[in-house]
Amino acid sequence: MAFPEPKPRPPELPQKRLKTLDCGQGAVRAVRFNVDGNYCLTCGSDKTLKLWNPLRGTLLRTYSGHGYEVLDAAGSFDNSSLCSGGGDKAVVLWDVASGQVVRKFRGHAGKVNTVQFNEEATVILSGSIDSSIRCWDCRSRRPEPVQTLDEARDGVSSVKVSDHEVLAGSVDGRMRRYDLRMGQLFSDYVGSPITCTCFSRDGQCTLVSSLDSTLRLLDKDTGELLGEYKGHKNQEYKLDCCLSERDTHVVSCSEDGKVFFWDLVEGALALALPVGRGVVQSLAYHPTEPCLLTAMGGSVQCWREETYEAEDGAG
């Protein structure tokens, strides 16, 4: 006889503060996990990028080479490279181990809000206040981008990449999805300036946040509105949103010092996590575990589920 499958554990939300990292790099503009969630990157207003082990609270390396504040960063799939963009209009490719600048790509006419590698880390995509997305070949010595996507009518606030798609959010109120296999562009009009976009982890949906203090979940293929999530405050800042590691909850920063979690299906508010006094500037969710990083002011907070027990030396 077959034994019944064990019931999957109900999702746990990260609400226990494990660590606070005082980053020592001015205001932290963005915090990002690496591909496996073992390390994180912090982008500083003091022009530096820092690599940490967040659970141990240890600083591993500092990357200096930007001429102005760093606004976003990403790690490659093999953890060998980083890319970053910032207020100096430059996109920088870094060697993780040596801390050296490998390439500095110039061409944007305004600050670079967002950067992403493609899956193979052969191309960096950068979105800028200049309304363009530029694609830079990491292996070529050519100074110009290999492709420029300039459909946005206002600044590009968010770019995400899947194996064959580019998802972009713009201040013009549109979310655009470029299907690179089909050579097609799909556009969904939200109406309010977009601050962040992302794919659900199963690739079926897109999540978009905008300056009307609303998050919307859309069916990726049809554009149908599947859910709306409200209660947080987002009226003036570019704030991050994402889905939890199992796509069970929608997560967003807020200008009132909290991180909000909503049940994805029900749309009900599940948790308003108090982080501190001020704007929760950025967040990052672990790829496989209920672990959240938040950035406020000059520090980053690391959160785990209530039942989490730190391993020896890690807590």
Side-chain angles (χ1 to χ4, degrees), residues 7-12 246 290 305 307:
K7 271 205 174 130
R9 287 177 307 138
E12 292 189 271
R246 283 155 56 187
E305 68 277 23
T307 57

Side-chain angles (χ1 to χ4, degrees), residues 221-233:
D221 293 326
T222 67
E224 180 190 354
L225 181 65
L226 302 176
E228 283 194 334
Y229 310 89
K230 299 184 180 189
H232 66 302
K233 184 180 177 200

Side-chain angles (χ1 to χ4, degrees), residues 271-315:
L271 174 66
L273 179 70
V275 177
R277 296 157 93 104
V279 176
V280 184
Q281 188 74 44
S282 178
L283 59 76
Y285 215 99
H286 193 285
T288 56
E289 295 173 22
C291 178
L292 173 74
L293 301 176
T294 53
M296 178 181 279
S299 61
V300 164
Q301 302 77 31
C302 179
W303 308 82
R304 291 293 310 226
E305 68 277 23
E306 288 286 5
T307 57
Y308 178 79
E309 293 298 330
E311 295 166 30
D312 289 343

Side-chain angles (χ1 to χ4, degrees), residues 2-36:
F3 288 102
E5 286 283 319
K7 271 205 174 130
R9 287 177 307 138
E12 292 189 271
L13 298 179
Q15 49 190 308
K16 179 163 79 173
R17 188 190 300 233
L18 271 198
K19 273 269 185 289
T20 297
L21 311 178
D22 290 316
C23 297
Q25 53 184 157
V28 178
R29 296 300 184 204
V31 60
R32 303 286 179 247
F33 271 114
N34 75 324
V35 64
D36 55 20

Side-chain angles (χ1 to χ4, degrees), residues 88-102:
D88 59 0
K89 313 176 193 175
V91 176
V92 180
L93 174 66
W94 307 85
D95 178 64
V96 168
S98 70
Q100 298 298 306
V101 174
V102 179

Side-chain angles (χ1 to χ4, degrees), residues 231-251:
H232 66 302
K233 184 180 177 200
N234 186 12
Q235 296 169 330
E236 48 182 322
Y237 292 96
K238 173 177 137 43
L239 302 184
D240 292 330
C241 66
C242 67
L243 291 154
S244 62
E245 87 282 8
R246 283 155 56 187
D247 275 345
T248 57
H249 289 81
V250 170
V251 189

